[in-house]
Amino acid sequence: MFWLLIAAGFGLLSLAHLAPFPFLLDAVAPAPALWRMPPDADAPAIYLTFDDGPNPTATPDLLDVLGRHGVRATFFLIDRHLNDETAPLVRRMFAEGHAVGLHSHTRALMLMTPTEVAATLSAAAARIERLAGSRPCRAFRPHAGARSGQMFAGLAAIDHVLVGWGWTLWDFNWYRRPDPAGLAERLAGRVSDGSIIVLHDGHHEDPAADRRYTVEAVDRLIPAVRARGLGFGTVC
């Protein structure tokens, strides 16, 4: 029984920090955690978010698709993927009305002190502003949703919100390459007013990863969501 209690406690502790859905830590954290947007009966909407960019091979095509459909989305960018080549893509995001937030490529931010977290994210925001001409909104998505009390304290110090995503509303496909048609069908069938979807236009290690499946899936997903009477918004 003792070891069962130890195992249960360890499991709860792990979920509090690593669960890809709201859990105990989010309820007591000093900074807000947003896993779903407030519903709006007058203008029901879902929220497309994209992680791990900017990607010089996929992000331009994704922006083209979003522009063709007249949809605004939120891009969570990895600081080390921003350079002179990709900065114009971020400028285009701002110019076309998309929201830009901060992302991380590693779980190491979980182990940083609150001061280090605040300094790391502030430096990334300043660099985006310097290279792309606009400052990102006060939203941060940690790598794989991994979070800690220190991270939340750091976010609180700079008035940022941690942004997650809806239950099963992601493009992970159990180590198989996602099928665009199947992905669009699954996501469209599970969203409701306020849902946050996460897809990837980049990769946390490969800045030029092949993400054509995301572009194709979004092209299919947008009309399917609209057919359900839902619009689109940004989390910022």
Side-chain angles (χ1 to χ4, degrees):
M1 177 63 73
F2 174 75
W3 290 110
L4 285 176
L5 291 174
I6 293 294
F10 181 78
L12 288 173
L13 183 64
S14 297
L15 281 174
H17 293 277
L18 302 175
F21 49 81
F23 206 65
L24 300 176
L25 184 59
D26 305 85
V28 299
L34 186 66
W35 295 86
R36 184 182 183 88
M37 295 292 286
D40 185 346
D42 295 326
I46 65 106
Y47 299 81
L48 291 176
T49 68
F50 300 98
D51 284 5
D52 292 348
N55 180 341
T57 67
T59 305
D61 293 338
L62 179 58
L63 288 169
D64 287 345
V65 167
L66 293 170
R68 188 168 66 249
H69 288 285
V71 167
R72 294 177 178 177
T74 305
F75 290 83
F76 289 96
L77 306 183
I78 291 178
D79 179 56
R80 67 177 185 173
H81 290 176
L82 180 63
N83 51 47
D84 290 338
E85 179 186 9
T86 58
L89 294 174
V90 184
R91 287 197 291 270
R92 181 180 171 188
M93 292 173 191
F94 285 118
E96 295 180 2
H98 301 291
V100 173
L102 302 174
H103 192 33
S104 56
H105 71 281
T106 173
R107 292 181 176 88
L109 270 72
M110 292 178 63
L111 306 177
M112 290 182 178
T113 67
T115 300
E116 289 171 332
V117 171
T120 297
L121 297 183
S122 295
R127 188 163 175 268
I128 289 174
E129 184 175 22
R130 184 171 69 254
L131 290 177
S134 298
R135 196 169 184 87
C137 66
R138 297 179 182 272
F140 169 66
R141 174 172 285 158
H143 178 63
R147 52 213 186 270
S148 65
Q150 301 100 296
M151 179 186 290
F152 274 116
L155 292 174
I158 55 175
D159 192 27
H160 276 52
V161 59
L162 185 147
V163 179
W165 52 85
W167 175 248
T168 71
L169 298 181
W170 57 79
D171 54 0
F172 182 69
N173 199 34
W174 298 107
Y175 304 103
R176 300 188 306 275
R177 184 173 180 81
D179 167 61
L183 180 59
E185 181 179 5
R186 172 169 65 83
L187 294 175
R190 295 181 180 180
V191 294
S192 59
D193 187 14
S195 291
I196 299 174
I197 294 176
V198 57
L199 301 106
H200 294 78
D201 63 325
H203 185 276
H204 66 284
E205 293 180 344
D206 181 0
D210 182 358
R211 294 303 196 197
R212 282 174 293 182
Y213 80 83
T214 295
V215 178
E216 295 174 21
V218 170
D219 199 19
R220 295 170 179 265
L221 176 61
I222 291 172
V225 168
R226 282 180 168 154
R228 296 192 53 195
L230 296 165
F232 297 86
T234 68
V235 302
C236 298

